[in-house]
PDB file of all heavy atoms in Angstrom:
ATOM      1  N   VAL A 500       5.383 -19.254  -7.394  1.00  0.00           N
ATOM      2  CA  VAL A 500       6.415 -20.116  -7.921  1.00  0.00           C
ATOM      3  C   VAL A 500       5.758 -20.973  -9.053  1.00  0.00           C
ATOM      4  O   VAL A 500       6.400 -21.209 -10.114  1.00  0.00           O
ATOM      5  CB  VAL A 500       6.954 -21.027  -6.843  1.00  0.00           C
ATOM      6  CG1 VAL A 500       7.844 -22.004  -7.443  1.00  0.00           C
ATOM      7  CG2 VAL A 500       7.707 -20.172  -5.785  1.00  0.00           C
ATOM      8  N   GLU A 501       4.595 -21.571  -8.924  1.00  0.00           N
ATOM      9  CA  GLU A 501       3.945 -22.340  -9.876  1.00  0.00           C
ATOM     10  C   GLU A 501       3.734 -21.541 -11.130  1.00  0.00           C
ATOM     11  O   GLU A 501       3.852 -22.129 -12.265  1.00  0.00           O
ATOM     12  CB  GLU A 501       2.641 -22.869  -9.435  1.00  0.00           C
ATOM     13  CG  GLU A 501       2.791 -23.890  -8.210  1.00  0.00           C
ATOM     14  CD  GLU A 501       1.503 -24.370  -7.739  1.00  0.00           C
ATOM     15  OE1 GLU A 501       0.397 -23.850  -8.198  1.00  0.00           O
ATOM     16  OE2 GLU A 501       1.403 -25.183  -6.737  1.00  0.00           O
ATOM     17  N   ALA A 502       3.369 -20.251 -11.025  1.00  0.00           N
ATOM     18  CA  ALA A 502       3.109 -19.451 -12.221  1.00  0.00           C
ATOM     19  C   ALA A 502       4.396 -19.263 -13.044  1.00  0.00           C
ATOM     20  O   ALA A 502       4.319 -19.067 -14.313  1.00  0.00           O
ATOM     21  CB  ALA A 502       2.591 -18.061 -11.831  1.00  0.00           C
ATOM     22  N   PHE A 503       5.567 -19.246 -12.431  1.00  0.00           N
ATOM     23  CA  PHE A 503       6.748 -19.007 -13.123  1.00  0.00           C
ATOM     24  C   PHE A 503       7.530 -20.196 -13.527  1.00  0.00           C
ATOM     25  O   PHE A 503       8.707 -20.116 -14.062  1.00  0.00           O
ATOM     26  CB  PHE A 503       7.695 -17.986 -12.423  1.00  0.00           C
ATOM     27  CG  PHE A 503       7.067 -16.612 -12.228  1.00  0.00           C
ATOM     28  CD1 PHE A 503       6.357 -16.224 -11.195  1.00  0.00           C
ATOM     29  CD2 PHE A 503       7.266 -15.702 -13.345  1.00  0.00           C
ATOM     30  CE1 PHE A 503       5.800 -14.941 -11.093  1.00  0.00           C
ATOM     31  CE2 PHE A 503       6.700 -14.484 -13.215  1.00  0.00           C
ATOM     32  CZ  PHE A 503       6.036 -14.097 -12.088  1.00  0.00           C
ATOM     33  N   SER A 504       7.001 -21.423 -13.114  1.00  0.00           N
ATOM     34  CA  SER A 504       7.718 -22.692 -13.386  1.00  0.00           C
ATOM     35  C   SER A 504       9.138 -22.652 -12.881  1.00  0.00           C
ATOM     36  O   SER A 504       9.421 -22.225 -11.757  1.00  0.00           O
ATOM     37  CB  SER A 504       7.626 -22.970 -14.976  1.00  0.00           C
ATOM     38  OG  SER A 504       8.086 -24.233 -15.187  1.00  0.00           O
ATOM     39  N   ASP A 505      10.077 -23.145 -13.718  1.00  0.00           N
ATOM     40  CA  ASP A 505      11.485 -23.328 -13.195  1.00  0.00           C
ATOM     41  C   ASP A 505      12.258 -22.013 -13.336  1.00  0.00           C
ATOM     42  O   ASP A 505      13.482 -22.067 -13.160  1.00  0.00           O
ATOM     43  CB  ASP A 505      12.152 -24.433 -14.001  1.00  0.00           C
ATOM     44  CG  ASP A 505      12.169 -24.220 -15.589  1.00  0.00           C
ATOM     45  OD1 ASP A 505      11.598 -23.219 -15.968  1.00  0.00           O
ATOM     46  OD2 ASP A 505      12.743 -25.011 -16.246  1.00  0.00           O
ATOM     47  N   ARG A 506      11.611 -20.917 -13.723  1.00  0.00           N
ATOM     48  CA  ARG A 506      12.319 -19.615 -13.781  1.00  0.00           C
ATOM     49  C   ARG A 506      12.514 -19.012 -12.388  1.00  0.00           C
ATOM     50  O   ARG A 506      13.317 -18.077 -12.227  1.00  0.00           O
ATOM     51  CB  ARG A 506      11.629 -18.703 -14.682  1.00  0.00           C
ATOM     52  CG  ARG A 506      11.622 -19.018 -16.133  1.00  0.00           C
ATOM     53  CD  ARG A 506      10.968 -17.988 -16.971  1.00  0.00           C
ATOM     54  NE  ARG A 506       9.574 -18.055 -16.776  1.00  0.00           N
ATOM     55  CZ  ARG A 506       8.641 -17.018 -17.062  1.00  0.00           C
ATOM     56  NH1 ARG A 506       9.212 -15.904 -17.634  1.00  0.00           N
ATOM     57  NH2 ARG A 506       7.423 -17.135 -16.779  1.00  0.00           N
ATOM     58  N   VAL A 507      11.825 -19.606 -11.411  1.00  0.00           N
ATOM     59  CA  VAL A 507      11.974 -19.029 -10.051  1.00  0.00           C
ATOM     60  C   VAL A 507      12.402 -20.174  -9.080  1.00  0.00           C
ATOM     61  O   VAL A 507      11.855 -21.194  -9.127  1.00  0.00           O
ATOM     62  CB  VAL A 507      10.607 -18.434  -9.581  1.00  0.00           C
ATOM     63  CG1 VAL A 507      10.622 -18.097  -8.049  1.00  0.00           C
ATOM     64  CG2 VAL A 507      10.222 -17.166 -10.434  1.00  0.00           C
ATOM     65  N   ARG A 508      13.333 -19.819  -8.203  1.00  0.00           N
ATOM     66  CA  ARG A 508      13.789 -20.745  -7.198  1.00  0.00           C
ATOM     67  C   ARG A 508      13.277 -20.232  -5.904  1.00  0.00           C
ATOM     68  O   ARG A 508      13.702 -19.143  -5.556  1.00  0.00           O
ATOM     69  CB  ARG A 508      15.316 -20.907  -7.186  1.00  0.00           C
ATOM     70  CG  ARG A 508      15.815 -21.992  -6.213  1.00  0.00           C
ATOM     71  CD  ARG A 508      17.280 -22.105  -6.202  1.00  0.00           C
ATOM     72  NE  ARG A 508      17.918 -20.962  -5.575  1.00  0.00           N
ATOM     73  CZ  ARG A 508      18.683 -19.996  -6.160  1.00  0.00           C
ATOM     74  NH1 ARG A 508      19.019 -20.203  -7.481  1.00  0.00           N
ATOM     75  NH2 ARG A 508      19.209 -19.070  -5.588  1.00  0.00           N
ATOM     76  N   ALA A 509      12.537 -21.003  -5.132  1.00  0.00           N
ATOM     77  CA  ALA A 509      11.986 -20.584  -3.912  1.00  0.00           C
ATOM     78  C   ALA A 509      12.716 -21.173  -2.682  1.00  0.00           C
ATOM     79  O   ALA A 509      13.096 -22.400  -2.750  1.00  0.00           O
ATOM     80  CB  ALA A 509      10.523 -21.006  -3.758  1.00  0.00           C
ATOM     81  N   GLU A 510      13.130 -20.363  -1.759  1.00  0.00           N
ATOM     82  CA  GLU A 510      13.763 -20.773  -0.589  1.00  0.00           C
ATOM     83  C   GLU A 510      13.231 -20.168   0.572  1.00  0.00           C
ATOM     84  O   GLU A 510      12.769 -18.985   0.472  1.00  0.00           O
ATOM     85  CB  GLU A 510      15.306 -20.613  -0.720  1.00  0.00           C
ATOM     86  CG  GLU A 510      16.048 -21.335  -1.833  1.00  0.00           C
ATOM     87  CD  GLU A 510      17.526 -21.384  -1.696  1.00  0.00           C
ATOM     88  OE1 GLU A 510      17.892 -21.777  -0.535  1.00  0.00           O
ATOM     89  OE2 GLU A 510      18.206 -21.170  -2.635  1.00  0.00           O
ATOM     90  N   THR A 511      13.320 -20.749   1.724  1.00  0.00           N
ATOM     91  CA  THR A 511      12.944 -20.132   2.939  1.00  0.00           C
ATOM     92  C   THR A 511      14.151 -19.469   3.648  1.00  0.00           C
ATOM     93  O   THR A 511      15.308 -19.845   3.283  1.00  0.00           O
ATOM     94  CB  THR A 511      12.278 -21.228   3.895  1.00  0.00           C
ATOM     95  OG1 THR A 511      13.295 -22.027   4.339  1.00  0.00           O
ATOM     96  CG2 THR A 511      11.175 -21.945   3.235  1.00  0.00           C
ATOM     97  N   TYR A 512      13.892 -18.677   4.541  1.00  0.00           N
ATOM     98  CA  TYR A 512      15.052 -18.105   5.304  1.00  0.00           C
ATOM     99  C   TYR A 512      15.838 -19.085   5.949  1.00  0.00           C
ATOM    100  O   TYR A 512      17.147 -19.020   5.930  1.00  0.00           O
ATOM    101  CB  TYR A 512      14.487 -17.075   6.387  1.00  0.00           C
ATOM    102  CG  TYR A 512      15.547 -16.511   7.261  1.00  0.00           C
ATOM    103  CD1 TYR A 512      16.454 -15.579   6.752  1.00  0.00           C
ATOM    104  CD2 TYR A 512      15.624 -16.962   8.540  1.00  0.00           C
ATOM    105  CE1 TYR A 512      17.442 -15.040   7.487  1.00  0.00           C
ATOM    106  CE2 TYR A 512      16.714 -16.395   9.353  1.00  0.00           C
ATOM    107  CZ  TYR A 512      17.407 -15.386   8.866  1.00  0.00           C
ATOM    108  OH  TYR A 512      18.486 -14.839   9.670  1.00  0.00           O
ATOM    109  N   ASP A 513      15.335 -20.246   6.360  1.00  0.00           N
ATOM    110  CA  ASP A 513      16.057 -21.237   7.146  1.00  0.00           C
ATOM    111  C   ASP A 513      17.020 -22.028   6.191  1.00  0.00           C
ATOM    112  O   ASP A 513      17.959 -22.605   6.606  1.00  0.00           O
ATOM    113  CB  ASP A 513      15.144 -22.231   7.816  1.00  0.00           C
ATOM    114  CG  ASP A 513      14.388 -21.478   9.010  1.00  0.00           C
ATOM    115  OD1 ASP A 513      14.991 -20.554   9.549  1.00  0.00           O
ATOM    116  OD2 ASP A 513      13.259 -21.859   9.260  1.00  0.00           O
ATOM    117  N   THR A 514      16.626 -22.064   4.919  1.00  0.00           N
ATOM    118  CA  THR A 514      17.414 -22.886   3.975  1.00  0.00           C
ATOM    119  C   THR A 514      18.356 -21.974   3.058  1.00  0.00           C
ATOM    120  O   THR A 514      19.186 -22.397   2.341  1.00  0.00           O
ATOM    121  CB  THR A 514      16.493 -23.665   3.002  1.00  0.00           C
ATOM    122  OG1 THR A 514      15.716 -22.827   2.193  1.00  0.00           O
ATOM    123  CG2 THR A 514      15.636 -24.670   3.786  1.00  0.00           C
ATOM    124  N   PHE A 515      18.212 -20.662   3.229  1.00  0.00           N
ATOM    125  CA  PHE A 515      18.951 -19.704   2.344  1.00  0.00           C
ATOM    126  C   PHE A 515      20.373 -19.753   2.823  1.00  0.00           C
ATOM    127  O   PHE A 515      20.702 -19.614   4.084  1.00  0.00           O
ATOM    128  CB  PHE A 515      18.343 -18.328   2.471  1.00  0.00           C
ATOM    129  CG  PHE A 515      18.734 -17.409   1.394  1.00  0.00           C
ATOM    130  CD1 PHE A 515      18.553 -17.711   0.079  1.00  0.00           C
ATOM    131  CD2 PHE A 515      19.207 -16.192   1.689  1.00  0.00           C
ATOM    132  CE1 PHE A 515      18.934 -16.911  -0.982  1.00  0.00           C
ATOM    133  CE2 PHE A 515      19.570 -15.324   0.649  1.00  0.00           C
ATOM    134  CZ  PHE A 515      19.415 -15.654  -0.639  1.00  0.00           C
ATOM    135  N   THR A 516      21.294 -19.879   1.862  1.00  0.00           N
ATOM    136  CA  THR A 516      22.746 -19.999   2.283  1.00  0.00           C
ATOM    137  C   THR A 516      23.589 -18.984   1.433  1.00  0.00           C
ATOM    138  O   THR A 516      23.051 -18.451   0.524  1.00  0.00           O
ATOM    139  CB  THR A 516      23.316 -21.436   2.026  1.00  0.00           C
ATOM    140  OG1 THR A 516      23.246 -21.689   0.653  1.00  0.00           O
ATOM    141  CG2 THR A 516      22.462 -22.432   2.788  1.00  0.00           C
ATOM    142  N   ALA A 517      24.854 -18.848   1.814  1.00  0.00           N
ATOM    143  CA  ALA A 517      25.775 -18.119   0.971  1.00  0.00           C
ATOM    144  C   ALA A 517      25.916 -18.493  -0.397  1.00  0.00           C
ATOM    145  O   ALA A 517      25.997 -17.769  -1.411  1.00  0.00           O
ATOM    146  CB  ALA A 517      27.151 -18.013   1.643  1.00  0.00           C
TER     147      ALA A 517
END
Side-chain angles (χ1 to χ4, degrees):
V500 175
E501 292 177 359
F503 292 97
S504 186
D505 59 358
R506 289 181 293 162
V507 170
R508 184 182 71 245
E510 296 197 46
T511 67
Y512 174 71
D513 293 329
T514 64
F515 200 52
T516 65

